[in-house]
Amino acid sequence: MADFDDITGWREELEAFEATEEGQMFFGEYGWGEATELTFEQEVRFAEELFQHDEIHEALRKSAKFVKFLDDNPDFGREDEGFWELCPVEDNLKVDAFRRWYAMKLNVALGASTFSAGKRLAIDVVNGDLPSLRSPEAEQFVREEFSWIVAFPKET
C-alpha cells in the first residue's frame, strides 16, 4: 500500500503523471476509465485521508459546508443568483484532484463514482450527519446509498 504520511508535491505528481501516455491511458481518454468496485474499507480509508492533511481537510470542510447549504435549500440550484459565488469551486476541484492522485497512487481504476462513497462519508461526518467514518450508521448509509458500487465482503 502506498504511504500517505507525507503528500508534499501531490498535485505536481498528479499533473506530471496525467501528462504522460501512461497517465492518459490510466485516466481514460476523457478522464474516466472503467471504474473498479471498491470495498467499504477502501472507501473509508480514502475518507480518512481527506481528514489527515490540512490542505485537503480545509477544502473538504468548505465543500461540506456548501453541500449542507444545498441540502437545507433544495430549491437553490446552479441557475440561481449567487450560486457560483457561494460554491467553493476551487475546493471542490482540489478534493477531486486529490481523489485522482489517491487512485493513481493505489493503481485503482478511476471512474465517476470511484471513492464517491468515501467522499460522501467524509462530508457527512464534517456536517455532523454521521458520528464517524467507521460507525454502524456510516456502514448502513453506504449499504443503502452506494451498494451499486461498494462491495461488502462476507466476514468469515
Side-chain angles (χ1 to χ4, degrees):
M1 176 141 192
D3 179 18
F4 296 105
D5 290 338
D6 181 4
I7 65 166
T8 304
W10 71 271
R11 191 179 290 268
E12 293 80 9
E13 184 180 8
L14 174 63
E15 289 172 0
F17 182 68
E18 288 176 326
T20 67
E21 187 175 324
E22 180 185 4
Q24 291 170 9
M25 287 177 53
F26 181 81
F27 289 119
E29 185 177 350
Y30 298 105
W32 304 114
E34 286 287 323
T36 302
E37 182 178 62
L38 300 175
T39 65
F40 177 70
E41 181 63 25
Q42 289 171 304
E43 293 282 356
V44 170
R45 285 185 185 163
F46 170 70
E48 288 171 341
E49 286 302 320
L50 297 174
F51 288 96
Q52 295 302 314
H53 312 287
D54 292 341
E55 170 192 9
I56 307 305
H57 186 214
E58 181 62 18
L60 172 69
R61 191 185 64 70
K62 290 177 183 175
S63 293
K65 181 179 178 182
F66 188 64
V67 167
K68 181 72 168 165
F69 175 81
L70 292 176
D71 286 349
D72 292 344
N73 297 281
D75 294 332
F76 187 76
R78 293 178 181 194
E79 304 304 319
D80 289 313
E81 186 177 332
F83 179 90
W84 293 107
E85 289 78 22
L86 293 173
C87 181
V89 173
E90 291 302 314
D91 296 295
N92 292 340
L93 291 173
K94 185 179 288 183
V95 171
D96 187 61
F98 184 79
R99 179 182 69 92
R100 292 171 62 83
W101 176 80
Y102 187 82
M104 175 197 78
K105 294 299 278 185
L106 293 179
N107 198 28
V108 170
L110 188 68
S113 60
T114 307
F115 298 118
S116 59
K119 180 181 173 187
R120 186 61 198 218
L121 284 174
I123 285 171
D124 285 359
V125 168
V126 167
N127 286 335
D129 297 327
L130 289 172
S132 72
L133 297 172
R134 294 187 178 273
S135 66
E137 295 90 343
E139 182 175 334
Q140 185 61 36
F141 172 73
V142 172
R143 284 183 185 276
E144 291 172 3
E145 300 295 325
F146 293 94
S147 62
W148 58 278
I149 192 67
V150 177
F152 291 87
K154 292 186 168 115
E155 295 179 14
T156 55

